[in-house]
Amino acid sequence: MDSLPPLTPPPPMSTSSLPPEVRPITIAPRAPIKPPVLASDILREEVAPMAPAQRAVRLWLVGFAAAFAAVGVASRLGFGPSSLNVLTGSLATAVVALLATFLPAPYAARASLAIVAGVVPLGLGAMGEGPLAALGFEGGLRATAGLVLITLLPGSLLFRARYRAFRVARIILALTILLSVPALVSIGMGALDPGTPLLLRIANGAALLASLTAFCGFMGEETTGGCGGWALLVIFTQAARLGLHTLGKGSELYGHWGFVVGAIGVFAAGVLVAFAIFQLLAVAFARQARKVDVHRIVGPGAEDRPPLTSMTSE
């Protein structure tokens, strides 16, 4: 019997009615749709940010480091307090500021390092020591009271300006104004002292008026009250008042350049500490501040307004 031929598979056949040159259409999976960014969310981030002034404090840390490095070099060249302690203290302060700038530290940790970098020379200066020794020309008690005007009051003003709809910001501002009263009384007495040189009396009066601008922080929620600008003005006038004391009796003790160097250092340290205090307040209260009703700030939206017919009928 002859063997059967091997079976061969049938030729491929199309099971579709479409011509072979037409390729099937593949539907790609749809990307997940993100929820829209609401206008209220944008406004809430504007009036209650979670981590404000990150770039500003880094920039000022660099400026602060440069200022204190210059103070150290100036002391070495005979301008201002000249001693090895002043030189090493100034350079060490500049190094701490640079580390706080470039180390990958968390937000609150960087603000804390900035406070340490600024408060240490200010505290030493209030006691008549260090590169800012001229700060203690009025005595340790008055100088310590004046540190409130240089740090706490501007810091609370910055916080009020950025969180304008947060009621706690006004409470903090009120407390810092109360703490500033002893320093304000001392400055006011200096402005009225007939034995003080006229230019120095004017500087005291300007510093007093600049500090009183803090009351603009109690304006309505719809405005910052210019508190950010007033904060810098308070620090600048206090530093200028210190620099102009070269005309006073303390110039024999600290030297004319001692007050000028002290004024530069006080301004740099004051701005740095004020920004850092503002940031720590933001860390403590930002989540609570974000619960604010944004419609209370900008007024009702268009969908909340009554129709035109009802308005005209009234």
Side-chain angles (χ1 to χ4, degrees):
M1 179 182 294
D2 296 336
S3 60
L4 297 174
L7 297 176
T8 57
M13 294 184 300
S14 176
T15 58
S16 173
S17 60
L18 296 176
E21 64 271 9
V22 178
R23 296 181 180 179
I25 300 175
T26 58
I27 301 177
R30 299 182 63 182
I33 300 176
K34 297 181 179 180
V37 179
L38 302 178
S40 58
D41 294 333
I42 298 175
L43 181 58
R44 187 171 286 105
E45 179 62 26
E46 178 187 346
V47 300
M50 292 300 297
Q54 295 189 64
R55 184 181 179 185
V57 77
R58 281 194 171 195
L59 290 176
W60 200 256
L61 276 167
V62 174
F64 174 83
F68 271 81
V71 167
V73 173
S75 69
R76 188 66 176 172
L77 296 177
F79 300 99
S82 56
S83 68
L84 183 60
N85 292 334
V86 172
L87 174 61
T88 56
S90 299
L91 295 180
T93 301
V95 169
V96 171
L98 289 177
L99 288 176
T101 305
F102 296 108
L103 284 179
Y107 182 78
R110 193 185 310 280
S112 301
L113 286 174
I115 288 181
V116 171
V119 166
V120 169
L122 287 174
L124 290 175
M127 295 184 292
E129 303 290 339
L132 307 184
L135 184 60
F137 76 99
E138 292 178 313
L141 189 61
R142 286 189 175 183
T144 302
L147 293 184
V148 177
L149 286 178
I150 300 172
T151 58
L152 289 179
L153 184 60
S156 63
L157 282 170
L158 291 172
F159 184 65
R160 159 63 181 89
R162 202 67 178 89
Y163 296 82
R164 65 180 187 267
F166 190 39
R167 186 174 300 176
V168 176
R170 290 170 174 77
I171 297 175
I172 294 173
L173 179 59
L175 291 176
T176 54
I177 290 176
L178 289 177
L179 292 175
S180 304
V181 168
L184 294 176
V185 171
S186 176
I187 295 174
M189 292 174 60
L192 299 176
D193 185 7
T196 303
L198 178 60
L199 185 59
L200 191 53
R201 293 175 64 184
I202 294 174
N204 286 329
L208 179 61
L209 291 176
S211 301
L212 293 179
T213 59
F215 286 97
C216 294
F218 300 104
M219 297 175 66
E221 299 173 344
E222 71 282 352
T223 177
T224 64
C227 291
W230 301 135
L232 296 179
L233 180 64
V234 168
I235 302 173
F236 175 79
T237 53
Q238 294 297 327
R241 184 178 78 93
L242 178 63
L244 288 175
H245 266 89
T246 55
L247 305 174
K249 300 177 181 178
S251 59
E252 294 84 3
L253 179 61
Y254 299 102
H256 295 288
W257 283 107
F259 282 101
V260 175
V261 169
I264 296 173
V266 163
F267 181 75
V271 174
L272 178 63
V273 175
F275 268 109
I277 289 174
F278 158 50
Q279 288 188 326
L280 289 183
L281 289 173
V283 171
F285 296 105
R287 295 190 182 278
Q288 184 179 351
R290 289 179 75 85
K291 299 177 182 179
V292 65
D293 181 11
V294 294
H295 292 290
R296 194 177 70 243
I297 309 170
V298 298
E303 68 277 5
D304 300 326
R305 297 174 184 172
L308 183 61
T309 55
S310 62
M311 294 177 62
T312 55
S313 61
E314 295 177 359

